[in-house]
Amino acid sequence: MMVRKVGVEGLIQELCKGFQLLMEPRTGKITCQSLKQNAARFGLGELHGDELPEMIREGDLDGDGALDQMEFCILMVRLSPKLMEEEAHMMFQY
């Protein structure tokens, strides 16, 4: 629904804003620590144990133990395939 409202470019911009809120300002990346500190902002509640490192590992493409902006955006899109499928279907219908 969000893709329909703001378009693909708008969705990318929104994901980038989300990244900015979750990242650690010093490194410019999302780390386990920054994710833990900011999780409540996004209704993720209390994350603990292996959940945080697993979330980072799932999106960490370069193996540095953190998520840069591109890795975060790729992960978010990958975690919502139905959203992207619906948008692609609508785009190619015409």
Side-chain angles (χ1 to χ4, degrees):
M1 184 171 225
M2 185 176 200
V3 175
R4 285 188 195 128
K5 285 185 177 182
V6 298
V8 173
E9 189 174 311
L11 176 63
I12 299 290
Q13 289 174 352
E14 290 301 313
L15 289 174
C16 290
K17 288 178 188 176
F19 173 81
Q20 297 294 320
L21 294 173
L22 289 171
M23 75 170 196
E24 182 179 304
R26 187 179 55 78
T27 63
K29 295 186 175 194
I30 296 174
T31 62
C32 286
Q33 184 63 30
S34 69
L35 189 56
K36 183 177 182 176
Q37 288 173 343
N38 295 304
R41 277 185 174 169
F42 294 95
L44 298 175
E46 185 77 21
L47 297 174
H48 43 74
D50 293 335
E51 293 174 315
L52 293 170
E54 183 56 36
M55 290 174 80
I56 298 293
R57 251 190 316 276
E58 190 171 341
D60 185 12
L61 301 175
D62 62 11
D64 67 353
L67 300 178
D68 61 28
Q69 186 167 297
M70 184 62 70
E71 289 170 328
F72 175 76
C73 289
I74 290 169
L75 178 63
M76 293 297 101
V77 168
R78 200 176 80 221
L79 292 176
S80 57
K82 184 174 179 166
L83 180 75
M84 298 313 280
E85 284 175 21
E86 289 173 4
E87 180 61 20
H89 178 73
M90 288 187 66
M91 287 174 61
F92 293 112
Q93 242 178 354
Y94 300 101

